[in-house]
Amino acid sequence: MSDAIEFFFEFSSPFSYIASKRVENLAQKHGRSLIWKPFLLGAVFKQEGTQSLMAYPTKGPYSKRDIERIAAYYDLPFVWPPTFPILTVNAARAVLWAQDQSADRSVALIHALFDMAYMVGKDISSFNAVSEAAESVGFNPETVAAEIKQPSIKAKLKAVTDEAISRGVFGAPFTFVDGESFWGNDRLDIVDAWISRGGW
Amino acid sequence: MSDAIEFFFEFSSPFSYIASKRVENLAQKHGRSLIWKPFLLGAVFKQEGTQSLMAYPTKGPYSKRDIERIAAYYDLPFVWPPTFPILTVNAARAVLWAQDQSADRSVALIHALFDMAYMVGKDISSFNAVSEAAESVGFNPETVAAEIKQPSIKAKLKAVTDEAISRGVFGAPFTFVDGESFWGNDRLDIVDAWISRGGW
């Protein structure tokens, strides 16, 4: 696994959405496999004593504008979900369940959920929304709704979140490659250079 | 002044040092004038309820590594000053005083102070260090040491810091251009695109 790119992301992070549209090209360009790791950013913030960007009095409004500006910079459609931050526990669990069913369709589900939230502007927090996204990529919606309530899936999300914390994740997205970690969508350019040059 | 680039920076911010080596080229490329605004980041953090990057348990060590990695990415020499964060009140006041004497030499002083801190690795907090940097760009060191104690210069630094807060600055560097604001060294690429395209 040492040559894989590990991409820790959170559905409630607009920069994770933006980076999710770029990281596959990056991995492909360098012939690296890509491991998608949905985790709960709230647990990480609690650990670090920080908050969502949006919770800060001045950084909040700036970040709102910055996110819209950066999405447009990459020619990505972007709308704010009706409720923000998003409760993403169901979405993240659905992805972890899907990863055990089909690698390809689990990635399709990640995109479907991100698109539902930030392109369509739908609330993806509910079982219904998550099931609908899962159905759109070929999963049985009833199965998904039932499976994500299983203790084993809940434990999996806790394990990925614990792994994120133990590996020094304090925000999203967070990209690990070749023993280095890189925080943020903007650092994907540095990841690209780092892999190209074999570090520096 | 609407076409000027305003660059708010703090000597105790390594990303301000890195951006200080790039922002002149950016301004030149677009035929914009550049206004350097030294301010006190500590006052801004107090206002926002945040802290220096380095003060966070996980973001701190990450940022240390990230700063070194980013400096090397731009082929910039980088060492940590012996004491960090740096007390920059004298350095910032010296720059504000120098700006009333000579625009060119005030910019030279900014670079001399950044280089002393992050290339040579000297503590730039003292009157002596600031006077030495000022002398290296042609100012009389005794004059500088005396002038930066004047109430009018102290008031000027307070005014720039208050201006930063009132304009939504919550970190460093912060770049204002064409009615937009951009936080961080990494956003200089976006500033570049923004000016080139006339916004989007």
Side-chain angles (χ1 to χ4, degrees), chain A residues 48 56 58-59 62 65-66 69 168 180-183 186-187 200, chain B residues 48 56 58-59 62 65-66 69 168 180-181 183 186-187 200:
Chain A
E48 185 75 354
Y56 293 95
T58 312
K59 194 190 272 187
Y62 170 85
R65 172 78 184 135
D66 188 50
R69 217 166 41 186
E180 294 279 318
S181 64
F182 299 86
W183 171 41
D186 45 54
R187 287 297 183 275
W200 52 77
Chain B
E48 185 75 354
Y56 292 96
T58 311
K59 193 190 272 187
Y62 169 85
R65 173 76 184 136
D66 187 51
R69 216 165 43 186
E180 294 280 317
S181 64
W183 172 41
D186 44 54
R187 287 297 183 275
W200 52 76

PDB file of all heavy atoms in Angstrom, chain A residues 48 56 58-59 62 65-66 69 168 180-183 186-187 200, chain B residues 48 56 58-59 62 65-66 69 168 180-181 183 186-187 200:
ATOM      1  N   GLU A  48      -9.061  18.469  18.501  1.00  0.00           N
ATOM      2  CA  GLU A  48      -8.082  19.539  18.268  1.00  0.00           C
ATOM      3  C   GLU A  48      -8.460  20.849  18.966  1.00  0.00           C
ATOM      4  O   GLU A  48      -7.629  21.753  19.067  1.00  0.00           O
ATOM      5  CB  GLU A  48      -7.951  19.751  16.745  1.00  0.00           C
ATOM      6  CG  GLU A  48      -6.898  20.739  16.286  1.00  0.00           C
ATOM      7  CD  GLU A  48      -5.470  20.203  16.379  1.00  0.00           C
ATOM      8  OE1 GLU A  48      -5.268  19.093  16.911  1.00  0.00           O
ATOM      9  OE2 GLU A  48      -4.543  20.913  15.938  1.00  0.00           O
ATOM     10  N   TYR A  56     -16.407  30.506  12.843  1.00  0.00           N
ATOM     11  CA  TYR A  56     -15.591  31.644  13.262  1.00  0.00           C
ATOM     12  C   TYR A  56     -16.182  32.950  12.726  1.00  0.00           C
ATOM     13  O   TYR A  56     -16.649  33.004  11.590  1.00  0.00           O
ATOM     14  CB  TYR A  56     -14.149  31.469  12.773  1.00  0.00           C
ATOM     15  CG  TYR A  56     -13.437  30.318  13.456  1.00  0.00           C
ATOM     16  CD1 TYR A  56     -13.385  29.061  12.871  1.00  0.00           C
ATOM     17  CD2 TYR A  56     -12.841  30.490  14.704  1.00  0.00           C
ATOM     18  CE1 TYR A  56     -12.739  27.991  13.502  1.00  0.00           C
ATOM     19  CE2 TYR A  56     -12.205  29.439  15.345  1.00  0.00           C
ATOM     20  CZ  TYR A  56     -12.157  28.193  14.743  1.00  0.00           C
ATOM     21  OH  TYR A  56     -11.534  27.161  15.376  1.00  0.00           O
ATOM     22  N   THR A  58     -15.100  35.858  11.631  1.00  0.00           N
ATOM     23  CA  THR A  58     -14.584  36.527  10.429  1.00  0.00           C
ATOM     24  C   THR A  58     -14.166  35.506   9.379  1.00  0.00           C
ATOM     25  O   THR A  58     -14.417  35.667   8.191  1.00  0.00           O
ATOM     26  CB  THR A  58     -13.376  37.425  10.798  1.00  0.00           C
ATOM     27  OG1 THR A  58     -13.718  38.217  11.929  1.00  0.00           O
ATOM     28  CG2 THR A  58     -12.987  38.312   9.644  1.00  0.00           C
ATOM     29  N   LYS A  59     -13.523  34.418   9.834  1.00  0.00           N
ATOM     30  CA  LYS A  59     -13.111  33.363   8.921  1.00  0.00           C
ATOM     31  C   LYS A  59     -14.343  32.715   8.267  1.00  0.00           C
ATOM     32  O   LYS A  59     -14.280  32.263   7.128  1.00  0.00           O
ATOM     33  CB  LYS A  59     -12.309  32.292   9.692  1.00  0.00           C
ATOM     34  CG  LYS A  59     -11.546  31.323   8.822  1.00  0.00           C
ATOM     35  CD  LYS A  59     -10.978  30.153   9.631  1.00  0.00           C
ATOM     36  CE  LYS A  59      -9.610  30.442  10.196  1.00  0.00           C
ATOM     37  NZ  LYS A  59      -8.979  29.262  10.833  1.00  0.00           N
ATOM     38  N   TYR A  62     -15.611  34.833   5.277  1.00  0.00           N
ATOM     39  CA  TYR A  62     -14.544  34.753   4.271  1.00  0.00           C
ATOM     40  C   TYR A  62     -14.568  33.390   3.586  1.00  0.00           C
ATOM     41  O   TYR A  62     -14.481  33.285   2.357  1.00  0.00           O
ATOM     42  CB  TYR A  62     -13.161  34.978   4.908  1.00  0.00           C
ATOM     43  CG  TYR A  62     -12.042  34.649   3.935  1.00  0.00           C
ATOM     44  CD1 TYR A  62     -11.591  35.606   3.018  1.00  0.00           C
ATOM     45  CD2 TYR A  62     -11.467  33.379   3.894  1.00  0.00           C
ATOM     46  CE1 TYR A  62     -10.615  35.294   2.089  1.00  0.00           C
ATOM     47  CE2 TYR A  62     -10.490  33.058   2.972  1.00  0.00           C
ATOM     48  CZ  TYR A  62     -10.062  34.024   2.074  1.00  0.00           C
ATOM     49  OH  TYR A  62      -9.090  33.703   1.141  1.00  0.00           O
ATOM     50  N   ARG A  65     -17.248  32.819   0.953  1.00  0.00           N
ATOM     51  CA  ARG A  65     -16.896  33.459  -0.315  1.00  0.00           C
ATOM     52  C   ARG A  65     -15.751  32.693  -0.997  1.00  0.00           C
ATOM     53  O   ARG A  65     -15.758  32.473  -2.214  1.00  0.00           O
ATOM     54  CB  ARG A  65     -16.476  34.909  -0.044  1.00  0.00           C
ATOM     55  CG  ARG A  65     -15.908  35.656  -1.237  1.00  0.00           C
ATOM     56  CD  ARG A  65     -16.992  36.115  -2.177  1.00  0.00           C
ATOM     57  NE  ARG A  65     -16.441  36.756  -3.361  1.00  0.00           N
ATOM     58  CZ  ARG A  65     -16.862  36.506  -4.595  1.00  0.00           C
ATOM     59  NH1 ARG A  65     -17.827  35.648  -4.815  1.00  0.00           N
ATOM     60  NH2 ARG A  65     -16.328  37.136  -5.622  1.00  0.00           N
ATOM     61  N   ASP A  66     -14.756  32.301  -0.206  1.00  0.00           N
ATOM     62  CA  ASP A  66     -13.577  31.617  -0.753  1.00  0.00           C
ATOM     63  C   ASP A  66     -13.974  30.304  -1.427  1.00  0.00           C
ATOM     64  O   ASP A  66     -13.502  29.985  -2.518  1.00  0.00           O
ATOM     65  CB  ASP A  66     -12.576  31.354   0.381  1.00  0.00           C
ATOM     66  CG  ASP A  66     -11.239  30.823  -0.121  1.00  0.00           C
ATOM     67  OD1 ASP A  66     -10.661  31.414  -1.054  1.00  0.00           O
ATOM     68  OD2 ASP A  66     -10.772  29.804   0.418  1.00  0.00           O
ATOM     69  N   ARG A  69     -15.640  30.937  -4.701  1.00  0.00           N
ATOM     70  CA  ARG A  69     -14.646  31.444  -5.650  1.00  0.00           C
ATOM     71  C   ARG A  69     -13.771  30.319  -6.167  1.00  0.00           C
ATOM     72  O   ARG A  69     -13.436  30.258  -7.345  1.00  0.00           O
ATOM     73  CB  ARG A  69     -13.792  32.472  -4.898  1.00  0.00           C
ATOM     74  CG  ARG A  69     -13.353  33.658  -5.656  1.00  0.00           C
ATOM     75  CD  ARG A  69     -12.822  34.759  -4.725  1.00  0.00           C
ATOM     76  NE  ARG A  69     -11.992  34.274  -3.633  1.00  0.00           N
ATOM     77  CZ  ARG A  69     -11.530  35.047  -2.638  1.00  0.00           C
ATOM     78  NH1 ARG A  69     -11.815  36.344  -2.606  1.00  0.00           N
ATOM     79  NH2 ARG A  69     -10.806  34.537  -1.670  1.00  0.00           N
ATOM     80  N   GLY A 168      -2.999  12.186  12.643  1.00  0.00           N
ATOM     81  CA  GLY A 168      -2.750  13.630  12.616  1.00  0.00           C
ATOM     82  C   GLY A 168      -3.684  14.433  11.730  1.00  0.00           C
ATOM     83  O   GLY A 168      -3.383  15.579  11.398  1.00  0.00           O
ATOM     84  N   GLU A 180       3.984  11.195   3.558  1.00  0.00           N
ATOM     85  CA  GLU A 180       3.696  12.607   3.849  1.00  0.00           C
ATOM     86  C   GLU A 180       2.190  12.803   3.956  1.00  0.00           C
ATOM     87  O   GLU A 180       1.413  12.033   3.373  1.00  0.00           O
ATOM     88  CB  GLU A 180       4.204  13.501   2.702  1.00  0.00           C
ATOM     89  CG  GLU A 180       5.701  13.518   2.524  1.00  0.00           C
ATOM     90  CD  GLU A 180       6.406  14.456   3.495  1.00  0.00           C
ATOM     91  OE1 GLU A 180       5.927  15.565   3.735  1.00  0.00           O
ATOM     92  OE2 GLU A 180       7.467  14.045   4.012  1.00  0.00           O
ATOM     93  N   SER A 181       1.781  13.864   4.649  1.00  0.00           N
ATOM     94  CA  SER A 181       0.364  14.199   4.685  1.00  0.00           C
ATOM     95  C   SER A 181       0.175  15.645   4.241  1.00  0.00           C
ATOM     96  O   SER A 181       1.038  16.495   4.487  1.00  0.00           O
ATOM     97  CB  SER A 181      -0.210  13.974   6.080  1.00  0.00           C
ATOM     98  OG  SER A 181       0.386  14.835   7.014  1.00  0.00           O
ATOM     99  N   PHE A 182      -0.935  15.890   3.579  1.00  0.00           N
ATOM    100  CA  PHE A 182      -1.210  17.192   2.975  1.00  0.00           C
ATOM    101  C   PHE A 182      -2.647  17.579   3.272  1.00  0.00           C
ATOM    102  O   PHE A 182      -3.574  16.861   2.932  1.00  0.00           O
ATOM    103  CB  PHE A 182      -1.004  17.121   1.457  1.00  0.00           C
ATOM    104  CG  PHE A 182       0.390  16.761   1.026  1.00  0.00           C
ATOM    105  CD1 PHE A 182       0.771  15.425   0.915  1.00  0.00           C
ATOM    106  CD2 PHE A 182       1.323  17.745   0.740  1.00  0.00           C
ATOM    107  CE1 PHE A 182       2.059  15.080   0.516  1.00  0.00           C
ATOM    108  CE2 PHE A 182       2.611  17.412   0.336  1.00  0.00           C
ATOM    109  CZ  PHE A 182       2.986  16.071   0.224  1.00  0.00           C
ATOM    110  N   TRP A 183      -2.829  18.730   3.890  1.00  0.00           N
ATOM    111  CA  TRP A 183      -4.163  19.199   4.280  1.00  0.00           C
ATOM    112  C   TRP A 183      -4.717  20.152   3.231  1.00  0.00           C
ATOM    113  O   TRP A 183      -4.028  21.095   2.842  1.00  0.00           O
ATOM    114  CB  TRP A 183      -4.059  19.925   5.617  1.00  0.00           C
ATOM    115  CG  TRP A 183      -5.291  20.635   6.058  1.00  0.00           C
ATOM    116  CD1 TRP A 183      -6.581  20.185   5.964  1.00  0.00           C
ATOM    117  CD2 TRP A 183      -5.359  21.927   6.670  1.00  0.00           C
ATOM    118  NE1 TRP A 183      -7.438  21.122   6.495  1.00  0.00           N
ATOM    119  CE2 TRP A 183      -6.716  22.191   6.933  1.00  0.00           C
ATOM    120  CE3 TRP A 183      -4.395  22.868   7.038  1.00  0.00           C
ATOM    121  CZ2 TRP A 183      -7.139  23.378   7.538  1.00  0.00           C
ATOM    122  CZ3 TRP A 183      -4.818  24.049   7.647  1.00  0.00           C
ATOM    123  CH2 TRP A 183      -6.163  24.289   7.898  1.00  0.00           C
ATOM    124  N   ASP A 186      -6.158  22.833  -1.696  1.00  0.00           N
ATOM    125  CA  ASP A 186      -5.076  23.580  -2.360  1.00  0.00           C
ATOM    126  C   ASP A 186      -3.754  22.832  -2.349  1.00  0.00           C
ATOM    127  O   ASP A 186      -2.914  23.053  -3.204  1.00  0.00           O
ATOM    128  CB  ASP A 186      -4.930  24.998  -1.790  1.00  0.00           C
ATOM    129  CG  ASP A 186      -4.986  25.039  -0.278  1.00  0.00           C
ATOM    130  OD1 ASP A 186      -4.207  24.311   0.365  1.00  0.00           O
ATOM    131  OD2 ASP A 186      -5.799  25.807   0.270  1.00  0.00           O
ATOM    132  N   ARG A 187      -3.574  21.925  -1.396  1.00  0.00           N
ATOM    133  CA  ARG A 187      -2.308  21.194  -1.343  1.00  0.00           C
ATOM    134  C   ARG A 187      -2.231  20.044  -2.361  1.00  0.00           C
ATOM    135  O   ARG A 187      -1.181  19.408  -2.492  1.00  0.00           O
ATOM    136  CB  ARG A 187      -2.043  20.648   0.064  1.00  0.00           C
ATOM    137  CG  ARG A 187      -1.655  21.721   1.086  1.00  0.00           C
ATOM    138  CD  ARG A 187      -0.350  22.407   0.734  1.00  0.00           C
ATOM    139  NE  ARG A 187       0.045  23.388   1.751  1.00  0.00           N
ATOM    140  CZ  ARG A 187      -0.385  24.645   1.788  1.00  0.00           C
ATOM    141  NH1 ARG A 187      -1.237  25.099   0.869  1.00  0.00           N
ATOM    142  NH2 ARG A 187       0.033  25.470   2.735  1.00  0.00           N
ATOM    143  N   TRP A 200      11.319  16.194  -1.960  1.00  0.00           N
ATOM    144  CA  TRP A 200      12.439  17.133  -2.038  1.00  0.00           C
ATOM    145  C   TRP A 200      12.995  17.407  -0.678  1.00  0.00           C
ATOM    146  O   TRP A 200      12.465  16.957   0.293  1.00  0.00           O
ATOM    147  CB  TRP A 200      12.044  18.465  -2.703  1.00  0.00           C
ATOM    148  CG  TRP A 200      10.845  19.144  -2.142  1.00  0.00           C
ATOM    149  CD1 TRP A 200      10.769  19.873  -0.977  1.00  0.00           C
ATOM    150  CD2 TRP A 200       9.516  19.176  -2.729  1.00  0.00           C
ATOM    151  NE1 TRP A 200       9.503  20.349  -0.805  1.00  0.00           N
ATOM    152  CE2 TRP A 200       8.715  19.941  -1.856  1.00  0.00           C
ATOM    153  CE3 TRP A 200       8.949  18.645  -3.879  1.00  0.00           C
ATOM    154  CZ2 TRP A 200       7.366  20.176  -2.097  1.00  0.00           C
ATOM    155  CZ3 TRP A 200       7.612  18.890  -4.112  1.00  0.00           C
ATOM    156  CH2 TRP A 200       6.834  19.645  -3.236  1.00  0.00           C
TER     157      TRP A 200
ATOM    158  N   GLU B  48     -10.549  37.107  16.897  1.00  0.00           N
ATOM    159  CA  GLU B  48     -11.232  35.989  16.239  1.00  0.00           C
ATOM    160  C   GLU B  48     -11.392  34.778  17.153  1.00  0.00           C
ATOM    161  O   GLU B  48     -12.129  33.846  16.831  1.00  0.00           O
ATOM    162  CB  GLU B  48     -10.421  35.600  14.980  1.00  0.00           C
ATOM    163  CG  GLU B  48     -11.034  34.535  14.087  1.00  0.00           C
ATOM    164  CD  GLU B  48     -12.208  35.029  13.228  1.00  0.00           C
ATOM    165  OE1 GLU B  48     -12.619  36.187  13.402  1.00  0.00           O
ATOM    166  OE2 GLU B  48     -12.706  34.246  12.400  1.00  0.00           O
ATOM    167  N   TYR B  56      -1.716  24.778  18.096  1.00  0.00           N
ATOM    168  CA  TYR B  56      -2.663  23.660  18.056  1.00  0.00           C
ATOM    169  C   TYR B  56      -1.919  22.330  18.121  1.00  0.00           C
ATOM    170  O   TYR B  56      -0.871  22.171  17.491  1.00  0.00           O
ATOM    171  CB  TYR B  56      -3.519  23.744  16.787  1.00  0.00           C
ATOM    172  CG  TYR B  56      -4.460  24.929  16.787  1.00  0.00           C
ATOM    173  CD1 TYR B  56      -4.112  26.118  16.156  1.00  0.00           C
ATOM    174  CD2 TYR B  56      -5.674  24.876  17.448  1.00  0.00           C
ATOM    175  CE1 TYR B  56      -4.966  27.215  16.171  1.00  0.00           C
ATOM    176  CE2 TYR B  56      -6.537  25.962  17.462  1.00  0.00           C
ATOM    177  CZ  TYR B  56      -6.171  27.130  16.823  1.00  0.00           C
ATOM    178  OH  TYR B  56      -7.015  28.214  16.843  1.00  0.00           O
ATOM    179  N   THR B  58      -2.227  19.291  16.911  1.00  0.00           N
ATOM    180  CA  THR B  58      -1.952  18.491  15.714  1.00  0.00           C
ATOM    181  C   THR B  58      -1.632  19.376  14.519  1.00  0.00           C
ATOM    182  O   THR B  58      -0.722  19.099  13.744  1.00  0.00           O
ATOM    183  CB  THR B  58      -3.171  17.589  15.389  1.00  0.00           C
ATOM    184  OG1 THR B  58      -3.572  16.917  16.582  1.00  0.00           O
ATOM    185  CG2 THR B  58      -2.813  16.569  14.343  1.00  0.00           C
ATOM    186  N   LYS B  59      -2.385  20.469  14.386  1.00  0.00           N
ATOM    187  CA  LYS B  59      -2.121  21.408  13.295  1.00  0.00           C
ATOM    188  C   LYS B  59      -0.729  22.021  13.447  1.00  0.00           C
ATOM    189  O   LYS B  59      -0.074  22.348  12.448  1.00  0.00           O
ATOM    190  CB  LYS B  59      -3.186  22.525  13.323  1.00  0.00           C
ATOM    191  CG  LYS B  59      -3.228  23.390  12.085  1.00  0.00           C
ATOM    192  CD  LYS B  59      -4.122  24.600  12.275  1.00  0.00           C
ATOM    193  CE  LYS B  59      -5.571  24.312  11.919  1.00  0.00           C
ATOM    194  NZ  LYS B  59      -6.420  25.533  11.935  1.00  0.00           N
ATOM    195  N   TYR B  62       2.004  19.638  12.062  1.00  0.00           N
ATOM    196  CA  TYR B  62       1.752  19.561  10.618  1.00  0.00           C
ATOM    197  C   TYR B  62       2.236  20.835   9.933  1.00  0.00           C
ATOM    198  O   TYR B  62       2.911  20.794   8.899  1.00  0.00           O
ATOM    199  CB  TYR B  62       0.265  19.357  10.324  1.00  0.00           C
ATOM    200  CG  TYR B  62      -0.052  19.543   8.854  1.00  0.00           C
ATOM    201  CD1 TYR B  62       0.091  18.486   7.958  1.00  0.00           C
ATOM    202  CD2 TYR B  62      -0.423  20.790   8.339  1.00  0.00           C
ATOM    203  CE1 TYR B  62      -0.142  18.662   6.600  1.00  0.00           C
ATOM    204  CE2 TYR B  62      -0.655  20.974   6.986  1.00  0.00           C
ATOM    205  CZ  TYR B  62      -0.508  19.908   6.118  1.00  0.00           C
ATOM    206  OH  TYR B  62      -0.720  20.099   4.779  1.00  0.00           O
ATOM    207  N   ARG B  65       5.978  21.231   9.388  1.00  0.00           N
ATOM    208  CA  ARG B  65       6.420  20.450   8.230  1.00  0.00           C
ATOM    209  C   ARG B  65       5.945  21.078   6.920  1.00  0.00           C
ATOM    210  O   ARG B  65       6.696  21.166   5.943  1.00  0.00           O
ATOM    211  CB  ARG B  65       5.879  19.018   8.363  1.00  0.00           C
ATOM    212  CG  ARG B  65       6.092  18.116   7.171  1.00  0.00           C
ATOM    213  CD  ARG B  65       7.519  17.632   7.107  1.00  0.00           C
ATOM    214  NE  ARG B  65       7.773  16.837   5.917  1.00  0.00           N
ATOM    215  CZ  ARG B  65       8.849  16.958   5.162  1.00  0.00           C
ATOM    216  NH1 ARG B  65       9.794  17.826   5.473  1.00  0.00           N
ATOM    217  NH2 ARG B  65       9.020  16.200   4.102  1.00  0.00           N
ATOM    218  N   ASP B  66       4.687  21.518   6.911  1.00  0.00           N
ATOM    219  CA  ASP B  66       4.094  22.090   5.701  1.00  0.00           C
ATOM    220  C   ASP B  66       4.860  23.336   5.265  1.00  0.00           C
ATOM    221  O   ASP B  66       5.150  23.523   4.080  1.00  0.00           O
ATOM    222  CB  ASP B  66       2.623  22.433   5.975  1.00  0.00           C
ATOM    223  CG  ASP B  66       1.875  22.884   4.729  1.00  0.00           C
ATOM    224  OD1 ASP B  66       1.935  22.179   3.696  1.00  0.00           O
ATOM    225  OD2 ASP B  66       1.211  23.940   4.771  1.00  0.00           O
ATOM    226  N   ARG B  69       8.132  22.402   3.730  1.00  0.00           N
ATOM    227  CA  ARG B  69       7.879  21.771   2.435  1.00  0.00           C
ATOM    228  C   ARG B  69       7.518  22.807   1.373  1.00  0.00           C
ATOM    229  O   ARG B  69       7.966  22.726   0.233  1.00  0.00           O
ATOM    230  CB  ARG B  69       6.708  20.798   2.631  1.00  0.00           C
ATOM    231  CG  ARG B  69       6.735  19.541   1.873  1.00  0.00           C
ATOM    232  CD  ARG B  69       5.717  18.538   2.429  1.00  0.00           C
ATOM    233  NE  ARG B  69       4.423  19.104   2.762  1.00  0.00           N
ATOM    234  CZ  ARG B  69       3.452  18.434   3.358  1.00  0.00           C
ATOM    235  NH1 ARG B  69       3.607  17.150   3.686  1.00  0.00           N
ATOM    236  NH2 ARG B  69       2.310  19.004   3.625  1.00  0.00           N
ATOM    237  N   GLY B 168     -11.676  42.478   7.932  1.00  0.00           N
ATOM    238  CA  GLY B 168     -11.913  41.037   7.907  1.00  0.00           C
ATOM    239  C   GLY B 168     -10.666  40.172   7.858  1.00  0.00           C
ATOM    240  O   GLY B 168     -10.749  38.981   7.543  1.00  0.00           O
ATOM    241  N   GLU B 180     -11.796  42.234  -3.565  1.00  0.00           N
ATOM    242  CA  GLU B 180     -11.796  40.867  -3.015  1.00  0.00           C
ATOM    243  C   GLU B 180     -10.662  40.732  -2.008  1.00  0.00           C
ATOM    244  O   GLU B 180      -9.654  41.452  -2.092  1.00  0.00           O
ATOM    245  CB  GLU B 180     -11.546  39.835  -4.129  1.00  0.00           C
ATOM    246  CG  GLU B 180     -12.643  39.742  -5.160  1.00  0.00           C
ATOM    247  CD  GLU B 180     -13.833  38.901  -4.694  1.00  0.00           C
ATOM    248  OE1 GLU B 180     -13.612  37.827  -4.105  1.00  0.00           O
ATOM    249  OE2 GLU B 180     -14.974  39.314  -4.943  1.00  0.00           O
ATOM    250  N   SER B 181     -10.800  39.769  -1.102  1.00  0.00           N
ATOM    251  CA  SER B 181      -9.684  39.495  -0.192  1.00  0.00           C
ATOM    252  C   SER B 181      -9.325  38.015  -0.273  1.00  0.00           C
ATOM    253  O   SER B 181     -10.194  37.168  -0.503  1.00  0.00           O
ATOM    254  CB  SER B 181     -10.037  39.895   1.235  1.00  0.00           C
ATOM    255  OG  SER B 181     -11.104  39.109   1.733  1.00  0.00           O
ATOM    256  N   TRP B 183      -6.825  35.029   1.570  1.00  0.00           N
ATOM    257  CA  TRP B 183      -6.010  34.654   2.727  1.00  0.00           C
ATOM    258  C   TRP B 183      -4.962  33.611   2.336  1.00  0.00           C
ATOM    259  O   TRP B 183      -5.319  32.580   1.753  1.00  0.00           O
ATOM    260  CB  TRP B 183      -6.918  34.066   3.812  1.00  0.00           C
ATOM    261  CG  TRP B 183      -6.215  33.455   4.979  1.00  0.00           C
ATOM    262  CD1 TRP B 183      -5.112  33.931   5.632  1.00  0.00           C
ATOM    263  CD2 TRP B 183      -6.586  32.246   5.656  1.00  0.00           C
ATOM    264  NE1 TRP B 183      -4.792  33.109   6.679  1.00  0.00           N
ATOM    265  CE2 TRP B 183      -5.670  32.056   6.715  1.00  0.00           C
ATOM    266  CE3 TRP B 183      -7.603  31.305   5.476  1.00  0.00           C
ATOM    267  CZ2 TRP B 183      -5.736  30.964   7.581  1.00  0.00           C
ATOM    268  CZ3 TRP B 183      -7.668  30.226   6.332  1.00  0.00           C
ATOM    269  CH2 TRP B 183      -6.745  30.061   7.373  1.00  0.00           C
ATOM    270  N   ASP B 186      -0.985  30.459  -0.436  1.00  0.00           N
ATOM    271  CA  ASP B 186      -1.471  29.595  -1.525  1.00  0.00           C
ATOM    272  C   ASP B 186      -2.510  30.292  -2.394  1.00  0.00           C
ATOM    273  O   ASP B 186      -2.683  29.927  -3.552  1.00  0.00           O
ATOM    274  CB  ASP B 186      -1.981  28.237  -1.004  1.00  0.00           C
ATOM    275  CG  ASP B 186      -2.838  28.372   0.231  1.00  0.00           C
ATOM    276  OD1 ASP B 186      -3.817  29.147   0.176  1.00  0.00           O
ATOM    277  OD2 ASP B 186      -2.540  27.712   1.241  1.00  0.00           O
ATOM    278  N   ARG B 187      -3.206  31.298  -1.843  1.00  0.00           N
ATOM    279  CA  ARG B 187      -4.221  31.989  -2.636  1.00  0.00           C
ATOM    280  C   ARG B 187      -3.613  33.009  -3.611  1.00  0.00           C
ATOM    281  O   ARG B 187      -4.355  33.600  -4.416  1.00  0.00           O
ATOM    282  CB  ARG B 187      -5.245  32.670  -1.737  1.00  0.00           C
ATOM    283  CG  ARG B 187      -6.208  31.702  -1.038  1.00  0.00           C
ATOM    284  CD  ARG B 187      -7.073  30.943  -2.011  1.00  0.00           C
ATOM    285  NE  ARG B 187      -8.024  30.077  -1.318  1.00  0.00           N
ATOM    286  CZ  ARG B 187      -7.745  28.836  -0.886  1.00  0.00           C
ATOM    287  NH1 ARG B 187      -6.544  28.311  -1.102  1.00  0.00           N
ATOM    288  NH2 ARG B 187      -8.670  28.119  -0.267  1.00  0.00           N
ATOM    289  N   TRP B 200     -14.549  36.430 -11.815  1.00  0.00           N
ATOM    290  CA  TRP B 200     -15.433  35.442 -12.466  1.00  0.00           C
ATOM    291  C   TRP B 200     -16.721  35.326 -11.680  1.00  0.00           C
ATOM    292  O   TRP B 200     -16.865  35.919 -10.645  1.00  0.00           O
ATOM    293  CB  TRP B 200     -14.764  34.063 -12.586  1.00  0.00           C
ATOM    294  CG  TRP B 200     -14.186  33.488 -11.337  1.00  0.00           C
ATOM    295  CD1 TRP B 200     -14.850  32.926 -10.293  1.00  0.00           C
ATOM    296  CD2 TRP B 200     -12.787  33.443 -11.006  1.00  0.00           C
ATOM    297  NE1 TRP B 200     -13.966  32.516  -9.332  1.00  0.00           N
ATOM    298  CE2 TRP B 200     -12.688  32.820  -9.741  1.00  0.00           C
ATOM    299  CE3 TRP B 200     -11.611  33.844 -11.626  1.00  0.00           C
ATOM    300  CZ2 TRP B 200     -11.459  32.610  -9.100  1.00  0.00           C
ATOM    301  CZ3 TRP B 200     -10.402  33.628 -10.994  1.00  0.00           C
ATOM    302  CH2 TRP B 200     -10.341  33.023  -9.744  1.00  0.00           C
TER     303      TRP B 200
END
